[in-house]
Amino acid sequence: MSFPTPSGLRIVRGDATDPQAFGPKIIAYVCNDRGGWGKGFVLALSRRWSEPERDYRAWYRERARNDFALGAVRLVPVGTGTWVANMVAQHGVRRGSGGPPIRYEAVSACLRALAGHARELGATVHMPRIGCGLAGGRWERIQPLVEAGLLGRGVEVTVYDTD
């Protein structure tokens, strides 16, 4: 069942690792800037494909020689016409005195970069409620970033809820 919001954002019940759409698809999620992999949505990704984790770990390991940083996006092909977007928008992995690990400015930068990739590939974007799980973000702050960064740039977006 689909629940469009006034902005055109589609919210459905389902699994973001199994996008329900025709044509090229990008599965987007938020990762941390510390090289950590093993909790949250990445577990669902790893159950389906090994490439996103392998690429993320290599990207992090070689960070002194590449663009790995808050706000960076890297697409990983996982099948014909399907990519996973590793979006670095979480500083660390735990809530501390500085608040939750999510960095809204980095989310915004990631989404703008993702829009360019999606338009170039002619792809739709599929995601869980990014940044709202372990990263500690609030959907009421993330949704407007998705609307401006993707929908506002002509990219169709579907958000998947599991409950």
Side-chain angles (χ1 to χ4, degrees):
M1 178 176 251
S2 176
F3 304 98
T5 62
S7 68
L9 182 67
R10 252 183 71 201
I11 299 176
V12 301
R13 295 211 184 285
D15 179 359
T17 68
D18 186 22
Q20 302 303 303
F22 294 104
K25 298 170 271 302
I26 299 172
I27 300 165
Y29 82 101
V30 166
C31 55
N32 66 72
D33 64 353
R34 299 294 165 93
W37 185 285
K39 292 184 178 181
F41 184 69
V42 298
L43 295 177
L45 288 173
S46 290
R47 279 193 294 274
R48 281 186 81 90
W49 306 286
S50 61
E51 296 92 338
E53 178 180 1
R54 189 170 44 243
D55 186 83
Y56 169 77
R57 290 187 184 279
W59 188 28
Y60 176 78
R61 192 173 44 254
E62 301 295 322
R63 67 192 178 281
R65 293 178 290 285
N66 64 39
D67 66 343
F68 186 94
L70 286 170
V73 175
R74 187 140 133 166
L75 293 190
V76 181
V78 293
T80 304
T82 304
W83 295 263
V84 168
N86 291 331
M87 302 191 309
V88 185
Q90 181 181 329
H91 181 59
V93 294
R94 293 196 176 103
R95 181 181 293 269
S97 60
I102 192 69
R103 295 297 181 262
Y104 294 108
E105 312 78 35
V107 172
S108 183
C110 287
L111 293 171
R112 288 190 308 271
L114 181 60
H117 292 300
R119 291 177 56 125
E120 182 178 306
L121 295 167
T124 54
V125 172
H126 305 265
M127 63 179 67
R129 291 185 188 249
I130 58 169
C132 295
L134 297 172
R138 294 189 346 258
W139 183 246
E140 57 270 15
R141 290 203 50 199
I142 300 277
Q143 182 176 333
L145 301 177
V146 171
E147 292 168 349
L150 294 171
L151 294 172
R153 288 174 165 80
V155 177
E156 290 181 35
V157 180
T158 302
V159 172
Y160 294 77
D161 280 335
T162 56
D163 47 29

